[in-house]
Amino acid sequence: MDSRDAPPSSASPEQAYLSVRRIKKKFGDLAVLNGVSLEAPEHEVVSLIGASGSGKSTLLRCINLLTIPDEGDVWIDGVRLPLSDPSRPPRRITDKKAVRLARARLAMVFQSFNLWAHRTILENVTEGPIHVLGVSAAEAREKATALLDRVGIADKRDFYPAQLSGGQQQRAAIARALAMEPKILLFDEPTSALDPELVGEVLKVMRDLADEGRTMIVVSHEMSFVRDVSNKVVFLHQGCIVEEGGPAEIFQSPKTEACRKFLSSVIQ
Amino acid sequence: MAIGQSYREIKIWLSDSACIGLSPVSPELFARSCPRFIDGFFISIELLVLASLFGFVIAIGLAVARTSNVGALSVPAFVYCYVFRGTPLLVQLWIFYFGFGSFGAEGLGPFWLVFRDGYWVGLVVLTINTSAYAAEIFRGGIVNVPHGQIEAALAIGMGWWTKLRRIMLPQALQISWPAYSNEIILLLKGSALVSTITVLDLMGQTRTVFSRSYNLEIFLYAILLYLVLSGSLTIILRILEARLRTPTQMSRQH
């Protein structure tokens, strides 16, 4: 057994469901993440904030290995996601099936929705349960209908993504994520591509999810949302976590100059 | 073979009824050679349908191999497409028929059954040729599937095959269908070249009839029949295209 397979020694007392250890990532010569560690305890909302280019989206994408970190590992439920030895780059996934199973338990909501354009809204939501989880079509449809109703677009179930507004598409994408019954929801700037008047409807759905105790990791520029909903706020600056703590702590008394500057630039 | 038998009977019946039906309105020259024309017409359709069906399946496989990042798949697929797209169909037909065919039964063993008959050589070469072109078209479709949708497939836990079958290929087909339709029309016209390797397709029969009468009018009838073929083909391809297309923003309904 590889020593890296041992659970992280400094696991938080409540045994975080998700744990990211000393992640490093470079794109060419540009170091985007410089050894970042993060924990997401169950039923908590962790928000990642920071200026663009600070590495927050890359960090989120490293969690489900859409981006493969050059160094460092991700543990989910005490199990390390199988990546090859970092000392022999390029690093790759060593057990694809294990990663697929892990990804099915982490759902991601993207900035640009990424709904499948050739499938109806209902089919977008049933696709994963039927073809990844092996749920029966009837059961998947029933559940999908309930989820679409929940995010308020049940009447759009037979439309195609291009026929919906951005806010409706993003709510459909959230329903698609929920249909997988994920343990953790990853949100990658879910409202950044929306017209201002459509942001509210998406944030409302996300707020409800947080209220019902979902484990969420959110990259967002919506500071009032971050402040209200998060249990923990993490501020990234130049690929490092510079500050982390409760929302009150971060927003009212930022300790570093970088964080103070960032907050004053985004809060009007 | 029951299917082959009834197919032959249908062909004869169609040929008879077409020629009898057309006889009051057709010029004397056409009426005299009508069964030949219709016979060639069917051979052309057969070659077209079979070559495009087999070619389609092979092209999808080639396109997937071409876009793979496994060199052992992408390099052979690239070479195949490069060779068969880069050489004239006529040369391919002659090399397969006259070239390989010259090895005869001793040289080719069981393959002789294919290589001795212009029809089968024609089918094989048309299939290879169209698959090389269509592979290139489908490759374009595959690489143009929006990257975000592929990421969404990965993020939900889809494996390679599910992602390909459920997300990438359906959209790649949508994107590349208009270009592919064009390739099928080109295949129809290219198929006339099989007449140079003894196949009595529409062009082959036209040449036979011409060699007996030396009346250039004959080619006019061939042109009309080819237009009927390509016209019907265009309609069929358009219907398929419309079925593949998903509604866009233009048809947004609120």
Side-chain angles (χ1 to χ4, degrees):
Chain A
M1 191 170 157
D2 188 330
S3 65
R4 289 175 301 126
D5 284 325
S9 50
S10 59
S12 49
E14 61 276 305
Q15 176 61 53
Y17 184 75
L18 174 96
S19 168
V20 170
R21 292 276 124 188
R22 292 182 295 275
I23 293 262
K24 289 188 183 173
K25 181 69 192 176
K26 272 186 178 180
F27 292 118
D29 286 336
L30 180 72
V32 182
L33 293 173
N34 297 313
V36 173
S37 299
L38 182 75
E39 247 135 47
E42 268 185 285
H43 313 299
E44 290 199 1
V45 177
V46 177
S47 292
L48 309 179
I49 60 171
S52 55
S54 60
K56 52 197 192 310
S57 280
T58 307
L59 174 57
L60 195 72
R61 292 168 54 87
C62 281
I63 292 173
N64 63 2
L65 301 185
L66 282 184
T67 297
I68 296 186
D70 299 334
E71 285 176 47
D73 285 294
V74 179
W75 273 267
I76 293 171
D77 210 3
V79 179
R80 187 177 71 89
L81 295 187
L83 289 174
S84 63
D85 186 348
S87 62
R88 279 187 291 161
R91 223 172 169 207
R92 51 188 182 78
I93 293 167
T94 51
D95 179 351
K96 289 185 175 152
K97 186 157 184 236
V99 170
R100 285 208 302 275
L101 291 173
R103 282 171 174 163
R105 285 182 293 164
L106 307 168
M108 188 174 233
V109 175
F110 299 87
Q111 178 176 356
S112 48
F113 332 133
N114 296 349
L115 292 172
W116 297 305
H118 62 305
R119 307 226 177 268
T120 64
I121 296 304
L122 185 76
E123 287 166 349
N124 264 278
V125 181
T126 58
E127 188 69 27
I130 295 174
H131 295 279
V132 175
L133 303 178
V135 172
S136 78
E139 192 187 330
R141 263 199 298 276
E142 194 178 319
K143 212 173 93 189
T145 310
L147 284 169
L148 288 174
D149 189 38
R150 188 181 157 180
V151 299
I153 49 171
D155 55 327
K156 303 284 187 235
R157 47 176 277 171
D158 296 322
F159 286 55
Y160 286 89
Q163 295 171 299
L164 267 58
S165 72
Q168 291 167 338
Q169 287 192 55
Q170 194 59 297
R171 285 185 281 153
I174 293 174
R176 172 173 74 175
L178 293 175
M180 298 298 286
E181 297 185 350
K183 296 286 286 185
I184 300 188
L185 285 160
L186 309 173
F187 288 91
D188 187 8
E189 305 199 25
T191 57
S192 298
L194 295 176
D195 293 337
E197 78 273 18
L198 302 176
V199 169
E201 63 191 55
V202 172
L203 290 183
K204 182 180 175 306
V205 171
M206 290 172 62
R207 228 175 260 267
D208 290 346
L209 292 173
D211 287 347
E212 69 182 39
R214 298 266 182 177
T215 312
M216 294 163 56
I217 303 180
V218 182
V219 172
S220 182
H221 290 293
E222 295 293 331
M223 288 306 149
S224 57
F225 172 81
V226 167
R227 183 184 206 145
D228 293 353
V229 168
S230 311
N231 298 91
K232 183 164 78 173
V233 178
V234 173
F235 173 70
L236 279 106
H237 182 63
Q238 294 173 349
C240 296
I241 293 180
V242 179
E243 274 191 53
E244 59 180 300
E249 197 182 325
I250 297 284
F251 281 90
Q252 273 144 38
S253 47
K255 287 189 261 322
T256 59
E257 182 57 30
C259 190
R260 252 194 305 276
K261 257 192 185 155
F262 171 74
L263 288 173
S264 66
S265 71
V266 290
I267 297 170
Q268 48 282 65
Chain B
M1 290 232 295
I3 296 173
Q5 185 60 37
S6 44
Y7 175 63
R8 261 190 299 278
E9 279 167 16
I10 291 171
K11 269 207 306 192
I12 291 167
W13 179 81
L14 279 173
S15 169
D16 286 352
S17 21
C19 291
I20 292 166
L22 285 172
S23 64
V25 291
S26 53
E28 195 264 333
L29 188 59
F30 179 81
R32 210 177 337 127
S33 331
C34 179
R36 280 190 169 276
F37 276 115
I38 302 295
D39 209 44
F41 189 74
F42 276 116
I43 298 288
S44 288
I45 293 178
E46 277 170 27
L47 286 173
L48 177 78
V49 169
L50 294 176
S52 54
L53 287 181
F54 294 137
F56 178 85
V57 175
I58 296 170
I60 295 285
L62 283 169
V64 171
R66 284 274 272 122
T67 53
S68 164
N69 37 25
V70 180
L73 291 174
S74 63
V75 173
F78 169 77
V79 171
Y80 178 101
C81 293
Y82 181 74
V83 168
F84 290 107
R85 250 160 44 101
T87 52
L89 178 58
L90 184 62
V91 175
Q92 293 167 12
L93 283 167
W94 284 23
I95 283 185
F96 274 71
Y97 187 67
F98 300 116
F100 294 158
S102 67
F103 292 108
E106 323 75 75
L108 292 168
F111 292 109
W112 176 240
L113 291 174
V114 172
F115 282 99
R116 69 179 179 181
D117 187 339
Y119 180 88
W120 295 115
V121 172
L123 180 58
V124 167
V125 172
L126 287 175
T127 301
I128 290 175
N129 192 269
T130 189
S131 67
Y133 273 93
E136 209 54 32
I137 293 168
F138 294 143
R139 188 189 68 85
I142 289 174
V143 300
N144 276 305
V145 173
H147 187 63
Q149 294 186 32
I150 297 167
E151 286 204 326
L154 290 175
I156 215 161
M158 284 190 190
W160 178 85
W161 172 241
T162 314
K163 179 191 72 177
L164 188 70
R165 185 174 61 91
R166 302 289 309 170
I167 308 301
M168 296 180 71
L169 286 183
Q171 295 200 69
L173 270 189
Q174 262 179 2
I175 295 167
S176 47
W177 197 262
Y180 179 66
S181 300
N182 199 32
E183 161 56 22
I184 296 300
I185 302 288
L186 291 174
L187 174 66
L188 166 67
K189 294 186 291 179
S191 75
L193 288 175
V194 299
S195 66
T196 63
I197 56 166
T198 75
V199 181
L200 291 173
D201 71 328
L202 182 50
M203 187 61 203
Q205 292 287 13
T206 307
R207 279 166 36 137
T208 310
V209 175
F210 178 71
S211 68
R212 291 177 184 180
S213 62
Y214 289 99
N215 188 333
L216 284 165
E217 209 181 302
I218 295 292
F219 289 107
L220 188 66
Y221 306 134
I223 282 174
L224 288 174
L225 285 169
Y226 271 115
L227 284 176
V228 168
L229 254 181
S230 57
S232 334
L233 200 56
T234 306
I235 292 169
I236 293 168
L237 291 165
R238 279 283 158 76
I239 291 170
L240 289 173
E241 188 181 326
R243 293 194 140 216
L244 275 173
R245 202 168 18 202
T246 52
T248 58
Q249 206 144 17
M250 308 297 272
S251 54
R252 184 191 284 187
Q253 317 149 22
H254 278 296

